[in-house]
Structure formats: C-alpha cells, structure tokens
PDB file of all heavy atoms in Angstrom:
ATOM      1  N   VAL A   1      -8.510   6.250  -4.745  1.00  0.00           N
ATOM      2  CA  VAL A   1      -7.368   6.385  -3.857  1.00  0.00           C
ATOM      3  C   VAL A   1      -6.096   6.034  -4.597  1.00  0.00           C
ATOM      4  O   VAL A   1      -6.148   5.220  -5.494  1.00  0.00           O
ATOM      5  CB  VAL A   1      -7.566   5.496  -2.608  1.00  0.00           C
ATOM      6  CG1 VAL A   1      -7.541   4.076  -2.947  1.00  0.00           C
ATOM      7  CG2 VAL A   1      -6.434   5.773  -1.574  1.00  0.00           C
ATOM      8  N   TYR A   2      -5.009   6.711  -4.319  1.00  0.00           N
ATOM      9  CA  TYR A   2      -3.746   6.583  -5.037  1.00  0.00           C
ATOM     10  C   TYR A   2      -2.636   6.103  -4.054  1.00  0.00           C
ATOM     11  O   TYR A   2      -2.672   6.471  -2.867  1.00  0.00           O
ATOM     12  CB  TYR A   2      -3.324   7.915  -5.679  1.00  0.00           C
ATOM     13  CG  TYR A   2      -4.360   8.463  -6.574  1.00  0.00           C
ATOM     14  CD1 TYR A   2      -5.227   9.450  -6.142  1.00  0.00           C
ATOM     15  CD2 TYR A   2      -4.442   8.003  -7.890  1.00  0.00           C
ATOM     16  CE1 TYR A   2      -6.215   9.961  -7.037  1.00  0.00           C
ATOM     17  CE2 TYR A   2      -5.415   8.559  -8.788  1.00  0.00           C
ATOM     18  CZ  TYR A   2      -6.277   9.530  -8.369  1.00  0.00           C
ATOM     19  OH  TYR A   2      -7.186  10.047  -9.237  1.00  0.00           O
ATOM     20  N   LEU A   3      -1.674   5.491  -4.617  1.00  0.00           N
ATOM     21  CA  LEU A   3      -0.472   5.213  -3.955  1.00  0.00           C
ATOM     22  C   LEU A   3       0.696   5.639  -4.807  1.00  0.00           C
ATOM     23  O   LEU A   3       0.992   4.885  -5.805  1.00  0.00           O
ATOM     24  CB  LEU A   3      -0.265   3.799  -3.464  1.00  0.00           C
ATOM     25  CG  LEU A   3       0.911   3.389  -2.618  1.00  0.00           C
ATOM     26  CD1 LEU A   3       0.782   4.053  -1.222  1.00  0.00           C
ATOM     27  CD2 LEU A   3       1.061   1.904  -2.474  1.00  0.00           C
ATOM     28  N   GLN A   4       1.352   6.714  -4.518  1.00  0.00           N
ATOM     29  CA  GLN A   4       2.544   7.126  -5.249  1.00  0.00           C
ATOM     30  C   GLN A   4       3.691   6.487  -4.666  1.00  0.00           C
ATOM     31  O   GLN A   4       4.021   6.678  -3.493  1.00  0.00           O
ATOM     32  CB  GLN A   4       2.657   8.676  -5.200  1.00  0.00           C
ATOM     33  CG  GLN A   4       3.931   9.222  -5.858  1.00  0.00           C
ATOM     34  CD  GLN A   4       3.868   8.965  -7.454  1.00  0.00           C
ATOM     35  OE1 GLN A   4       2.846   9.274  -8.028  1.00  0.00           O
ATOM     36  NE2 GLN A   4       4.942   8.543  -7.975  1.00  0.00           N
ATOM     37  N   MET A   5       4.499   5.756  -5.476  1.00  0.00           N
ATOM     38  CA  MET A   5       5.617   5.033  -5.012  1.00  0.00           C
ATOM     39  C   MET A   5       6.855   5.502  -5.641  1.00  0.00           C
ATOM     40  O   MET A   5       6.995   5.436  -6.886  1.00  0.00           O
ATOM     41  CB  MET A   5       5.465   3.473  -5.250  1.00  0.00           C
ATOM     42  CG  MET A   5       4.219   2.938  -4.643  1.00  0.00           C
ATOM     43  SD  MET A   5       4.056   1.127  -4.871  1.00  0.00           S
ATOM     44  CE  MET A   5       3.997   1.081  -6.689  1.00  0.00           C
ATOM     45  N   ASN A   6       7.798   6.082  -4.920  1.00  0.00           N
ATOM     46  CA  ASN A   6       9.112   6.619  -5.367  1.00  0.00           C
ATOM     47  C   ASN A   6      10.210   5.839  -4.831  1.00  0.00           C
ATOM     48  O   ASN A   6      10.071   5.201  -3.779  1.00  0.00           O
ATOM     49  CB  ASN A   6       9.160   8.161  -5.026  1.00  0.00           C
ATOM     50  CG  ASN A   6       8.110   8.995  -5.702  1.00  0.00           C
ATOM     51  OD1 ASN A   6       7.628   8.747  -6.706  1.00  0.00           O
ATOM     52  ND2 ASN A   6       7.721  10.045  -4.901  1.00  0.00           N
ATOM     53  N   SER A   7      11.333   5.934  -5.412  1.00  0.00           N
ATOM     54  CA  SER A   7      12.556   5.328  -4.938  1.00  0.00           C
ATOM     55  C   SER A   7      12.321   3.796  -4.669  1.00  0.00           C
ATOM     56  O   SER A   7      12.712   3.336  -3.720  1.00  0.00           O
ATOM     57  CB  SER A   7      13.123   6.052  -3.642  1.00  0.00           C
ATOM     58  OG  SER A   7      13.403   7.402  -3.905  1.00  0.00           O
ATOM     59  N   LEU A   8      11.738   3.184  -5.658  1.00  0.00           N
ATOM     60  CA  LEU A   8      11.364   1.784  -5.460  1.00  0.00           C
ATOM     61  C   LEU A   8      12.632   0.901  -5.334  1.00  0.00           C
ATOM     62  O   LEU A   8      13.596   1.105  -6.006  1.00  0.00           O
ATOM     63  CB  LEU A   8      10.527   1.372  -6.674  1.00  0.00           C
ATOM     64  CG  LEU A   8       9.029   1.818  -6.578  1.00  0.00           C
ATOM     65  CD1 LEU A   8       8.378   1.770  -7.993  1.00  0.00           C
ATOM     66  CD2 LEU A   8       8.288   1.014  -5.505  1.00  0.00           C
ATOM     67  N   LYS A   9      12.418  -0.142  -4.510  1.00  0.00           N
ATOM     68  CA  LYS A   9      13.494  -1.079  -4.258  1.00  0.00           C
ATOM     69  C   LYS A   9      12.985  -2.443  -4.644  1.00  0.00           C
ATOM     70  O   LYS A   9      11.830  -2.719  -4.703  1.00  0.00           O
ATOM     71  CB  LYS A   9      13.854  -1.114  -2.733  1.00  0.00           C
ATOM     72  CG  LYS A   9      14.197   0.214  -2.207  1.00  0.00           C
ATOM     73  CD  LYS A   9      14.390   0.198  -0.650  1.00  0.00           C
ATOM     74  CE  LYS A   9      14.774   1.508  -0.092  1.00  0.00           C
ATOM     75  NZ  LYS A   9      14.954   1.455   1.314  1.00  0.00           N
ATOM     76  N   PRO A  10      13.937  -3.448  -4.993  1.00  0.00           N
ATOM     77  CA  PRO A  10      13.481  -4.717  -5.236  1.00  0.00           C
ATOM     78  C   PRO A  10      12.619  -5.403  -4.228  1.00  0.00           C
ATOM     79  O   PRO A  10      11.714  -6.238  -4.553  1.00  0.00           O
ATOM     80  CB  PRO A  10      14.818  -5.539  -5.443  1.00  0.00           C
ATOM     81  CG  PRO A  10      15.810  -4.445  -5.880  1.00  0.00           C
ATOM     82  CD  PRO A  10      15.378  -3.269  -5.138  1.00  0.00           C
ATOM     83  N   GLU A  11      12.840  -5.074  -2.977  1.00  0.00           N
ATOM     84  CA  GLU A  11      12.036  -5.621  -1.892  1.00  0.00           C
ATOM     85  C   GLU A  11      10.549  -5.063  -1.915  1.00  0.00           C
ATOM     86  O   GLU A  11       9.747  -5.599  -1.067  1.00  0.00           O
ATOM     87  CB  GLU A  11      12.667  -5.437  -0.573  1.00  0.00           C
ATOM     88  CG  GLU A  11      13.156  -3.984  -0.242  1.00  0.00           C
ATOM     89  CD  GLU A  11      14.555  -3.798  -0.566  1.00  0.00           C
ATOM     90  OE1 GLU A  11      15.017  -4.265  -1.642  1.00  0.00           O
ATOM     91  OE2 GLU A  11      15.267  -3.082   0.190  1.00  0.00           O
ATOM     92  N   ASP A  12      10.320  -4.096  -2.694  1.00  0.00           N
ATOM     93  CA  ASP A  12       8.900  -3.628  -2.830  1.00  0.00           C
ATOM     94  C   ASP A  12       8.125  -4.557  -3.756  1.00  0.00           C
ATOM     95  O   ASP A  12       6.895  -4.365  -3.907  1.00  0.00           O
ATOM     96  CB  ASP A  12       8.879  -2.228  -3.303  1.00  0.00           C
ATOM     97  CG  ASP A  12       9.568  -1.150  -2.346  1.00  0.00           C
ATOM     98  OD1 ASP A  12       9.181  -1.358  -1.215  1.00  0.00           O
ATOM     99  OD2 ASP A  12      10.191  -0.267  -2.826  1.00  0.00           O
ATOM    100  N   THR A  13       8.771  -5.448  -4.446  1.00  0.00           N
ATOM    101  CA  THR A  13       8.064  -6.301  -5.357  1.00  0.00           C
ATOM    102  C   THR A  13       7.034  -7.163  -4.672  1.00  0.00           C
ATOM    103  O   THR A  13       7.302  -7.813  -3.649  1.00  0.00           O
ATOM    104  CB  THR A  13       9.098  -7.255  -6.053  1.00  0.00           C
ATOM    105  OG1 THR A  13       9.952  -6.487  -6.888  1.00  0.00           O
ATOM    106  CG2 THR A  13       8.307  -8.282  -6.932  1.00  0.00           C
ATOM    107  N   ALA A  14       5.732  -7.080  -5.112  1.00  0.00           N
ATOM    108  CA  ALA A  14       4.612  -7.759  -4.435  1.00  0.00           C
ATOM    109  C   ALA A  14       3.387  -7.467  -5.268  1.00  0.00           C
ATOM    110  O   ALA A  14       3.425  -6.643  -6.194  1.00  0.00           O
ATOM    111  CB  ALA A  14       4.448  -7.260  -3.034  1.00  0.00           C
ATOM    112  N   ILE A  15       2.356  -8.127  -4.908  1.00  0.00           N
ATOM    113  CA  ILE A  15       0.992  -7.796  -5.388  1.00  0.00           C
ATOM    114  C   ILE A  15       0.429  -6.769  -4.385  1.00  0.00           C
ATOM    115  O   ILE A  15       0.488  -6.990  -3.183  1.00  0.00           O
ATOM    116  CB  ILE A  15       0.070  -9.026  -5.452  1.00  0.00           C
ATOM    117  CG1 ILE A  15       0.676 -10.100  -6.434  1.00  0.00           C
ATOM    118  CG2 ILE A  15      -1.267  -8.595  -5.921  1.00  0.00           C
ATOM    119  CD1 ILE A  15      -0.134 -11.343  -6.564  1.00  0.00           C
ATOM    120  N   TYR A  16       0.018  -5.704  -4.934  1.00  0.00           N
ATOM    121  CA  TYR A  16      -0.599  -4.592  -4.151  1.00  0.00           C
ATOM    122  C   TYR A  16      -2.105  -4.623  -4.160  1.00  0.00           C
ATOM    123  O   TYR A  16      -2.631  -4.632  -5.236  1.00  0.00           O
ATOM    124  CB  TYR A  16       0.005  -3.286  -4.577  1.00  0.00           C
ATOM    125  CG  TYR A  16       1.465  -3.057  -4.210  1.00  0.00           C
ATOM    126  CD1 TYR A  16       2.411  -3.721  -4.714  1.00  0.00           C
ATOM    127  CD2 TYR A  16       1.738  -2.082  -3.142  1.00  0.00           C
ATOM    128  CE1 TYR A  16       3.789  -3.539  -4.275  1.00  0.00           C
ATOM    129  CE2 TYR A  16       3.011  -1.867  -2.717  1.00  0.00           C
ATOM    130  CZ  TYR A  16       4.043  -2.645  -3.310  1.00  0.00           C
ATOM    131  OH  TYR A  16       5.333  -2.376  -2.861  1.00  0.00           O
ATOM    132  N   TYR A  17      -2.726  -4.558  -3.030  1.00  0.00           N
ATOM    133  CA  TYR A  17      -4.147  -4.510  -2.931  1.00  0.00           C
ATOM    134  C   TYR A  17      -4.624  -3.293  -2.202  1.00  0.00           C
ATOM    135  O   TYR A  17      -4.018  -2.865  -1.203  1.00  0.00           O
ATOM    136  CB  TYR A  17      -4.571  -5.763  -2.021  1.00  0.00           C
ATOM    137  CG  TYR A  17      -4.219  -7.085  -2.563  1.00  0.00           C
ATOM    138  CD1 TYR A  17      -3.042  -7.671  -2.132  1.00  0.00           C
ATOM    139  CD2 TYR A  17      -5.084  -7.843  -3.389  1.00  0.00           C
ATOM    140  CE1 TYR A  17      -2.638  -8.896  -2.583  1.00  0.00           C
ATOM    141  CE2 TYR A  17      -4.697  -9.065  -3.813  1.00  0.00           C
ATOM    142  CZ  TYR A  17      -3.435  -9.599  -3.453  1.00  0.00           C
ATOM    143  OH  TYR A  17      -3.137 -10.866  -3.892  1.00  0.00           O
ATOM    144  N   CYS A  18      -5.740  -2.748  -2.727  1.00  0.00           N
ATOM    145  CA  CYS A  18      -6.433  -1.755  -1.929  1.00  0.00           C
ATOM    146  C   CYS A  18      -7.581  -2.290  -1.211  1.00  0.00           C
ATOM    147  O   CYS A  18      -8.148  -3.322  -1.656  1.00  0.00           O
ATOM    148  CB  CYS A  18      -6.814  -0.514  -2.833  1.00  0.00           C
ATOM    149  SG  CYS A  18      -8.142  -0.857  -4.042  1.00  0.00           S
ATOM    150  N   ALA A  19      -7.974  -1.639  -0.141  1.00  0.00           N
ATOM    151  CA  ALA A  19      -9.088  -2.117   0.658  1.00  0.00           C
ATOM    152  C   ALA A  19      -9.834  -1.005   1.344  1.00  0.00           C
ATOM    153  O   ALA A  19      -9.228   0.106   1.484  1.00  0.00           O
ATOM    154  CB  ALA A  19      -8.466  -3.069   1.760  1.00  0.00           C
ATOM    155  N   ALA A  20     -11.064  -1.183   1.659  1.00  0.00           N
ATOM    156  CA  ALA A  20     -11.958  -0.150   2.305  1.00  0.00           C
ATOM    157  C   ALA A  20     -12.533  -0.769   3.606  1.00  0.00           C
ATOM    158  O   ALA A  20     -12.820  -1.918   3.712  1.00  0.00           O
ATOM    159  CB  ALA A  20     -13.073   0.141   1.296  1.00  0.00           C
ATOM    160  N   ARG A  21     -12.668   0.215   4.570  1.00  0.00           N
ATOM    161  CA  ARG A  21     -13.216  -0.103   5.827  1.00  0.00           C
ATOM    162  C   ARG A  21     -14.042   1.022   6.430  1.00  0.00           C
ATOM    163  O   ARG A  21     -13.814   2.109   6.108  1.00  0.00           O
ATOM    164  CB  ARG A  21     -12.096  -0.477   6.865  1.00  0.00           C
ATOM    165  CG  ARG A  21     -11.101   0.667   7.163  1.00  0.00           C
ATOM    166  CD  ARG A  21     -10.126   0.317   8.189  1.00  0.00           C
ATOM    167  NE  ARG A  21      -9.060   1.379   8.332  1.00  0.00           N
ATOM    168  CZ  ARG A  21      -9.218   2.489   9.018  1.00  0.00           C
ATOM    169  NH1 ARG A  21     -10.207   2.664   9.813  1.00  0.00           N
ATOM    170  NH2 ARG A  21      -8.187   3.342   9.035  1.00  0.00           N
ATOM    171  N   ASN A  22     -14.952   0.622   7.170  1.00  0.00           N
ATOM    172  CA  ASN A  22     -15.831   1.589   7.982  1.00  0.00           C
ATOM    173  C   ASN A  22     -15.275   1.950   9.326  1.00  0.00           C
ATOM    174  O   ASN A  22     -15.511   3.009   9.932  1.00  0.00           O
ATOM    175  CB  ASN A  22     -17.273   1.169   8.010  1.00  0.00           C
ATOM    176  CG  ASN A  22     -18.070   1.305   6.773  1.00  0.00           C
ATOM    177  OD1 ASN A  22     -17.935   2.395   6.146  1.00  0.00           O
ATOM    178  ND2 ASN A  22     -18.873   0.401   6.420  1.00  0.00           N
ATOM    179  N   SER A  23     -14.646   0.929   9.888  1.00  0.00           N
ATOM    180  CA  SER A  23     -14.100   1.065  11.282  1.00  0.00           C
ATOM    181  C   SER A  23     -13.016   0.139  11.455  1.00  0.00           C
ATOM    182  O   SER A  23     -12.748  -0.778  10.748  1.00  0.00           O
ATOM    183  CB  SER A  23     -15.222   0.860  12.309  1.00  0.00           C
ATOM    184  OG  SER A  23     -15.794  -0.450  12.191  1.00  0.00           O
ATOM    185  N   GLY A  24     -12.322   0.223  12.690  1.00  0.00           N
ATOM    186  CA  GLY A  24     -11.329  -0.631  12.997  1.00  0.00           C
ATOM    187  C   GLY A  24      -9.913  -0.091  12.938  1.00  0.00           C
ATOM    188  O   GLY A  24      -9.813   1.058  12.686  1.00  0.00           O
ATOM    189  N   SER A  25      -8.918  -0.898  13.091  1.00  0.00           N
ATOM    190  CA  SER A  25      -7.579  -0.468  13.029  1.00  0.00           C
ATOM    191  C   SER A  25      -7.163  -0.355  11.522  1.00  0.00           C
ATOM    192  O   SER A  25      -7.337  -1.285  10.754  1.00  0.00           O
ATOM    193  CB  SER A  25      -6.622  -1.410  13.775  1.00  0.00           C
ATOM    194  OG  SER A  25      -7.023  -1.490  15.092  1.00  0.00           O
ATOM    195  N   TYR A  26      -6.423   0.696  11.248  1.00  0.00           N
ATOM    196  CA  TYR A  26      -5.987   0.939   9.891  1.00  0.00           C
ATOM    197  C   TYR A  26      -5.016  -0.024   9.392  1.00  0.00           C
ATOM    198  O   TYR A  26      -4.812  -0.293   8.157  1.00  0.00           O
ATOM    199  CB  TYR A  26      -5.375   2.350   9.681  1.00  0.00           C
ATOM    200  CG  TYR A  26      -4.111   2.533  10.525  1.00  0.00           C
ATOM    201  CD1 TYR A  26      -2.883   2.229   9.965  1.00  0.00           C
ATOM    202  CD2 TYR A  26      -4.142   3.111  11.792  1.00  0.00           C
ATOM    203  CE1 TYR A  26      -1.685   2.467  10.661  1.00  0.00           C
ATOM    204  CE2 TYR A  26      -2.998   3.299  12.444  1.00  0.00           C
ATOM    205  CZ  TYR A  26      -1.733   2.940  11.997  1.00  0.00           C
ATOM    206  OH  TYR A  26      -0.593   3.208  12.667  1.00  0.00           O
ATOM    207  N   TYR A  27      -4.210  -0.706  10.330  1.00  0.00           N
ATOM    208  CA  TYR A  27      -3.156  -1.632   9.952  1.00  0.00           C
ATOM    209  C   TYR A  27      -3.472  -3.088   9.995  1.00  0.00           C
ATOM    210  O   TYR A  27      -2.668  -3.937   9.684  1.00  0.00           O
ATOM    211  CB  TYR A  27      -1.989  -1.413  10.987  1.00  0.00           C
ATOM    212  CG  TYR A  27      -2.349  -1.537  12.396  1.00  0.00           C
ATOM    213  CD1 TYR A  27      -2.355  -2.783  12.968  1.00  0.00           C
ATOM    214  CD2 TYR A  27      -2.715  -0.407  13.173  1.00  0.00           C
ATOM    215  CE1 TYR A  27      -2.760  -2.879  14.337  1.00  0.00           C
ATOM    216  CE2 TYR A  27      -3.094  -0.527  14.486  1.00  0.00           C
ATOM    217  CZ  TYR A  27      -3.072  -1.805  15.060  1.00  0.00           C
ATOM    218  OH  TYR A  27      -3.428  -1.867  16.405  1.00  0.00           O
TER     219      TYR A  27
END
C-alpha cells in the first residue's frame, strides 16, 4: 500500500504508520 504525499506542510511532520484490518471503522 502506498501513500503519495504532495504539497507537504510543516504540520505534516510526524511518524507515519500503516495498519491492516479485517473489519471495523476505517478511521
């Protein structure tokens, strides 16, 4: 899975994690 990030801002600074699920709320 990919995350293309354009027009990056300083507030985007963070540790980014990917995760997998079988069910439930996406958020």
Side-chain angles (χ1 to χ4, degrees):
V1 63
Y2 304 95
L3 185 68
Q4 178 67 47
M5 305 184 294
N6 298 326
S7 301
L8 283 163
K9 305 174 181 179
E11 49 263 46
D12 294 319
T13 296
I15 300 175
Y16 284 71
Y17 301 90
C18 71
R21 62 174 172 88
N22 281 319
S23 62
S25 300
Y26 66 86
Y27 54 85

